[in-house]
């Protein structure tokens, strides 16, 4: 099987293309003041994930509550102004350094589709950050559920079928084993795991999966995946 056997690349956005971990850490350390200075990444990520699980609503609204939850746990300022500033920061989370350029290269050969648990407001912000690379987008506002719910994938499969693409045309590309790679593999998708945390301990600010699923393809960055596509095309 080759990357160039596919016609559609579906993408997780937050964690695969957008470096939300860097964004969360920067915001918490800025807003938390001296009390946040000596906190490790994991000390911030753990209450962040618990807060997100508790306040699982639309990302352009719920993150203020997530911040107040983690701030209370960590003894940081949890006032409304700090929470509002954290919420605003969410829309400005940075892209990984290779994301925009790699997406531009991949778009020459594939239909690019965003599949994200972010809501439409946040997705619009992230798409702009990435250079508006997507031919189509699917978010939690469309599906009414969030990954890893299989219904999210079913919604997008039907949507792409309406555009003439078959199930076997789709390669799902993502960082999260928990939200994406495991469930997509179970559903029969070919997958490309962008292993953003390669060389780092643990799963960072992404929930730990019950088991690590072997993907169809695996790359440390999206840029490396784009390089592999170019190599295949050159060989053919």
């Amino acid at each position: 099987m080759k990357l160039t056997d596919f016609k559609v690349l579906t993408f997780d956005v937050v964690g695969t293309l957008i470096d939300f971990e860097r964004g969360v850490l920067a915001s918490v350390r800025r807003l938390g003041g001296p009390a946040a200075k000596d906190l490790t990444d994991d000390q911030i990520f753990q209450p962040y994930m618990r807060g997100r699980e508790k306040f699982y609503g639309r990302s352009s609204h719920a993150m203020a509550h997530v911040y107040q939850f983690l701030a209370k746990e960590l003894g940081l300022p949890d006032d409304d102004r700090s929470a509002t500033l954290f919420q605003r920061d969410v829309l400005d989370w940075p892209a990984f350094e290779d994301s925009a350029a790699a997406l531009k290269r991949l778009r020459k050969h594939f239909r690019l589709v965003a599949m994200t648990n972010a809501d439409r407001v946040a997705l619009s912000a992230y798409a702009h950050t990435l250079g508006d690379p997507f031919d189509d987008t699917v978010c939690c506002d469309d599906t009414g559920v969030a990954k890893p719910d299989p219904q999210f994938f079913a919604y997008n499969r039907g949507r792409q079928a309406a555009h003439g693409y078959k199930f076997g045309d789709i390669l799902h590309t993502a960082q999260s084993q928990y939200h994406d790679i495991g469930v997509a593999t179970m559903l029969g998708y070919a997958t490309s795991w962008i292993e953003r945390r390669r060389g780092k301990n643990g799963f960072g600010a992404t929930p730990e999966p019950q088991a690590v699923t072997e993907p169809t393809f695996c790359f440390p960055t999206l840029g490396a995946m784009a390089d592999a596509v170019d190599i295949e095309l050159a060989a053919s």
Side-chain angles (χ1 to χ4, degrees):
M1 188 179 294
K2 298 184 297 183
L3 292 164
T4 49
D5 291 337
F6 301 93
K7 297 177 181 179
V8 180
L9 302 182
T10 54
F11 285 94
D12 169 60
V13 175
V14 178
T16 304
L17 308 175
I18 296 294
D19 191 353
F20 82 106
E21 291 186 348
R22 181 156 58 104
V24 167
L25 293 172
S27 295
V28 170
R29 287 174 176 147
R30 187 184 82 253
L31 297 170
K37 180 180 178 181
D38 296 324
L39 293 173
T40 67
D41 292 358
D42 283 340
Q43 284 175 319
I44 294 172
F45 288 154
Q46 293 304 313
Y48 168 81
M49 286 192 290
R50 288 192 290 272
R52 190 64 176 118
E53 184 176 8
K54 181 177 177 66
F55 299 102
Y56 51 81
R58 299 176 74 242
S59 50
S60 64
H61 296 281
M63 291 298 193
H65 302 298
V66 173
Y67 174 79
Q68 288 181 316
F69 178 92
L70 75 85
K72 286 186 172 81
E73 279 206 11
L74 296 173
L76 306 179
D78 62 351
D79 55 280
D80 289 344
R81 180 177 180 276
S82 295
T84 298
L85 291 173
F86 183 86
Q87 180 68 74
R88 291 177 183 171
D89 286 350
V90 167
L91 301 181
D92 290 327
W93 280 344
F96 287 98
E97 291 183 0
D98 67 314
S99 292
L103 289 167
K104 186 175 181 179
R105 293 165 62 195
L106 291 167
R107 195 179 186 190
K108 296 176 183 178
H109 312 291
F110 303 94
R111 175 178 172 85
L112 306 187
V113 179
M115 284 180 59
T116 178
N117 287 348
D119 61 35
R120 182 60 58 185
V121 173
L123 173 55
S124 295
Y126 302 147
H128 178 74
T129 296
L130 293 164
D132 294 313
F134 301 115
D135 299 291
D136 195 10
T137 58
V138 175
C139 68
C140 66
D141 289 344
D142 303 317
T143 63
V145 298
K147 297 176 295 179
D149 193 318
Q151 289 301 314
F152 197 110
F153 289 83
Y155 180 98
N156 184 64
R157 181 176 176 180
R159 186 180 178 100
Q160 301 314 311
H163 288 280
Y165 295 98
K166 300 176 182 178
F167 180 61
D169 292 333
I170 299 172
L171 174 64
H172 188 57
T173 308
Q175 174 270 337
S176 176
Q177 282 274 336
Y178 176 84
H179 294 103
D180 291 272
I181 300 300
V183 63
T185 301
M186 179 192 72
L187 293 170
Y189 286 86
T191 58
S192 180
W193 183 22
I194 308 302
E195 198 179 354
R196 291 292 190 183
R197 290 188 59 82
R198 182 177 292 186
K200 298 180 181 180
N201 293 325
F203 291 88
T206 302
E208 183 174 353
Q210 290 185 345
V212 174
T213 300
E214 183 176 353
T216 313
F217 306 95
C218 184
F219 302 97
T221 66
L222 192 64
M225 180 176 167
D227 289 342
V229 169
D230 288 344
I231 291 170
E232 287 187 10
L233 291 168
S236 64

